[in-house]
Amino acid sequence: MTEITHHLTDDLLMDYATGTLPEGFALVVATHVSLCDDCRARLAAYEALGGSVLERAEAVALEDRAFEATMARIAGLSPAPRPAARPRHGLFPAPLQDYVGGDLAAVRWRPLGLGVRQAVLPTDGSAKVRLLYIPAGAAVPDHGHRGRELTLVLQGAFRDDEGRFGPGDVEVADEELEHTPVAEAGQDCICLAATDALLKFRGIMPRLAQPFFRI
Amino acid sequence: MLALRDRQDKAAFAALFRHFAPRVKAFLMKGGASAAQAEDHAQEVMATLWHKAHLYDPTRASVATWVFTIARNRRIDAIRRARRPEPEDLPWGPEPEPDQADALVLAQESNRLTEALAQLPPKQRELVERAYWGDLTHSELAVETGLPLGTIKSRIRLALDRLRHELR
Ligand SMILES: [Zn+2]
């Protein structure tokens, strides 16, 4: 894999560490962290801050027989299995495979026209997360944002005004950014994208594209 | 924690329980759970700690951090009713014989971070704590208080950066 040059922001890592990030965004964060040792270390530091907050919490007394009740719970459960060190086969890191139900071959693509395809992944609905398949050289329709958009490249690469995004790179777009990502020639581009609001498309394409995108 | 991890030592678990269970209960109540809910979940978090003890790696997290992540995941699952996508485990997984020097450095840096948090002015500390209780997201906190969390974070930035460096 090529060097990752576009990383997660501190805001996203902290919200993921505190557990307040909507599920769809959390999936993109977990998938990027699976690929990026740098962000894994930054995340661990934010989780350590959670440990400090817990350490400083003012204790609230438990019920009288809480310890015995907990030991009874322990007796009723079996130990968590040690996760097998599994060398990764295929394109998707484990958290993404959990949502897809497998690797690339298991994705149920829906055509969006002009060769672009998407697959919306099931979440609690607080954010929308989808896989996008953009043929080499093709563009995703010009769009601005009403909220955040987080796009992680899994295969191929795209370019927009912000630069080039290759495998493992993540683009964090806010409301200000209007961009037209174009997939690089050579290899079809596959991305994982999360949005927390409807995208607004510009021009004529929008009215056509919006119902298809259901974004 | 290592006595629990390596020998399933019940006395060691009892000591961890005395220290952490009341804090986990407090943590969950701060996050909006009722006392009864928090009691139930705190017991479950401690039971999970026992069952996952063999996965604990002292070179990657302090015990408090490990307990925090279990409590946080319980809160997401039970209160927000959402799934928690977790990063893939590192290919080598937890070491059977963790490097003691690494574990010591991590414990020291974790203590430093707790001290840095303790030394924040009370209002700023409360803001960080509320973020971790799961009360508010980051941007909601900034809106509510008019204080960007970034300025607060810069005060604990040094401790975070040192820790991050050790974790790499
Ligand atoms: Zn990264």
Side-chain angles (χ1 to χ4, degrees), chain A residues 159-177:
Chain A
R159 282 177 186 279
D160 63 15
D161 296 345
E162 302 297 305
R164 177 188 186 272
F165 294 82
D169 282 335
V170 64
E171 180 170 51
V172 183
D174 61 14
E175 299 188 32
E176 271 82 69
L177 185 72

Side-chain angles (χ1 to χ4, degrees), chain A residues 7 32 36 39:
Chain A
H7 295 276
H32 176 83
C36 179
C39 287

Side-chain angles (χ1 to χ4, degrees), chain A:
Chain A
M1 179 156 291
T2 50
E3 191 81 354
I4 295 174
T5 52
H6 299 276
H7 295 276
L8 294 164
T9 60
D10 281 325
D11 290 8
L12 284 164
L13 283 168
M14 187 173 172
D15 281 353
Y16 178 76
T18 63
T20 49
L21 202 60
E23 189 186 338
F25 285 93
L27 177 58
V28 181
V29 169
T31 306
H32 176 83
V33 168
S34 300
L35 301 167
C36 179
D37 292 343
D38 206 45
C39 287
R40 189 187 287 270
R42 291 166 65 208
L43 172 63
Y46 280 115
E47 290 186 329
L49 187 53
S52 295
V53 169
L54 180 69
E55 194 63 69
R56 288 183 40 84
E58 270 178 54
V60 171
L62 270 78
E63 286 161 15
D64 286 348
R65 310 272 306 157
F67 182 73
E68 291 72 13
T70 302
M71 291 313 292
R73 285 180 195 231
I74 287 167
L77 291 166
S78 50
R82 178 180 282 272
R86 44 178 169 176
R88 180 149 25 92
H89 297 292
L91 186 63
F92 299 162
L96 181 54
Q97 293 214 15
D98 288 346
Y99 276 76
V100 169
D103 201 44
L104 185 54
V107 179
R108 298 159 64 99
W109 296 107
R110 298 276 179 270
L112 289 173
L114 304 171
V116 179
R117 291 181 275 167
Q118 75 164 356
V120 175
L121 303 177
T123 60
D124 66 348
S126 53
K128 196 153 191 175
V129 64
R130 77 198 67 221
L131 283 160
L132 279 169
Y133 189 104
I134 310 153
V140 173
D142 190 13
H143 59 282
H145 303 269
R146 289 196 193 112
R148 285 178 298 183
E149 185 184 47
L150 200 55
T151 310
L152 170 67
V153 178
L154 298 159
Q155 176 194 293
F158 72 79
R159 282 177 186 279
D160 63 15
D161 296 345
E162 302 297 305
R164 177 188 186 272
F165 294 82
D169 282 335
V170 64
E171 180 170 51
V172 183
D174 61 14
E175 299 188 32
E176 271 82 69
L177 185 72
E178 282 179 36
H179 62 157
T180 310
V182 177
E184 260 185 13
Q187 193 177 19
D188 294 343
C189 181
I190 298 174
C191 300
L192 179 67
T195 46
D196 61 2
L198 292 173
L199 298 184
K200 46 185 180 195
F201 287 85
R202 324 245 143 211
I204 293 173
M205 188 61 188
R207 279 191 294 275
L208 288 171
Q210 199 126 21
F212 292 113
F213 274 88
R214 293 189 298 117
I215 321 196

Side-chain angles (χ1 to χ4, degrees), chain B residues 70-144:
Chain B
I70 295 173
R72 172 202 63 197
N73 292 358
R74 191 74 199 101
R75 188 189 70 217
I76 294 171
D77 186 49
I79 298 166
R80 284 184 41 199
R81 298 184 187 287
R83 281 169 79 187
R84 167 77 180 180
E86 289 285 350
E88 193 164 285
D89 265 306
L90 290 168
W92 53 89
E95 306 267 352
E97 297 280 331
D99 186 316
Q100 294 200 359
D102 285 354
L104 186 66
V105 171
L106 184 93
Q108 284 168 346
E109 292 302 337
S110 300
N111 287 338
R112 233 188 275 265
L113 185 60
T114 307
E115 278 165 33
L117 178 66
Q119 282 160 14
L120 283 179
K123 274 194 174 153
Q124 300 190 3
R125 189 172 64 233
E126 192 196 316
L127 215 55
V128 174
E129 287 171 346
R130 287 182 66 188
Y132 279 89
W133 292 331
D135 207 4
L136 292 170
T137 68
H138 202 152
S139 40
E140 286 166 342
L141 280 171
V143 168
E144 181 172 308

